[in-house]
Amino acid sequence: MAKTEHRPTSRVLDILELLANNQEGLSLTEIAEAIDAPKSSILPLMHTMAQRKFIFFNAHTYKYSIGIGSFCVGSAYTSNMNALQFIKSEMKYIVKKTNEICQMGIFDRGQVLYVAKVDSDDPIRIISYVGKRLPAYCTALGKALLCQKNIDDLRELYPDGLKEYTPNTITDFEVLAEQLKVVRKTMVATENGEANEQSYCLSVPLFKGDDILAAISVSIPSFRMTDEKTELIKSLLLETKVKIETFFREHDIDSTQLTLSS
């Protein structure tokens, strides 16, 4: 066991992993021997996990096996991955049609957290990565995520004001609020060199009911941006928005299911 691990927690996970790989079930003695722990130490853990239905105790065989609670947790993970797989398949379609990077982000305390991306094959492209964070007010993804906010909401989110990242960064709350009104009307957010002077970006919010769960965007090096490409990207993003929002409704997806990716 690594020194940084919490022993009781590690034992719980060891037990679950052990039972997951033993379909016939194991006795308390067998479990204790397998994880090298005293029976007296793990018995309270076994009782709690059995009560919570993460494991099942067979009173006839005196053996433990994996329980319905563990199945539900595993099923939730599978659902998460299915949601992300669907979204990334749509993102790949956008990349195929535009040959530009497509990203997904969620809102986290005034910032955009990038949770998924699909790169293009073009050797000159925007460099980004999953796990990256940027202030929402200076990115297209962020403006899509902020589009329901009014000026008072914005001032509360950014009590220290809007920091300038490039000469193009919007630092005036009133200007930002007006841009968000346009996003609410068109469902398309734009950003032109506000976080990175060499990039242009378009994004759409992804709703479930009245809530914005995430946003997807296409980022382009500014020198490659044309009116024709802008219209193509807008069309693709809006088309994909409808597909993903339909998926959210039909599969009852929430924001917690959009935070795993690679």
Side-chain angles (χ1 to χ4, degrees), residues 96-123:
K96 181 179 178 181
K97 292 293 185 181
T98 64
N99 202 28
E100 303 292 353
I101 185 174
C102 186
Q103 301 181 95
M104 181 172 76
I106 60 174
F107 187 74
D108 184 29
R109 293 167 294 177
Q111 295 183 313
V112 178
L113 170 61
Y114 291 75
V115 296
K117 76 178 179 74
V118 178
D119 277 322
S120 74
D121 293 328
D122 197 291

Side-chain angles (χ1 to χ4, degrees), residues 52-91:
R52 297 284 294 271
K53 298 184 179 180
F54 280 85
I55 63 175
F56 172 74
F57 177 66
N58 190 320
H60 299 289
T61 64
Y62 294 96
K63 288 189 175 184
Y64 294 89
S65 56
I66 206 73
I68 188 67
S70 297
F71 171 79
C72 291
V73 170
S75 296
Y77 176 77
T78 300
S79 176
N80 293 355
M81 294 308 294
N82 286 342
L84 285 165
Q85 286 168 359
F86 175 81
I87 293 168
K88 288 190 79 170
S89 70
E90 293 298 320
M91 292 168 67

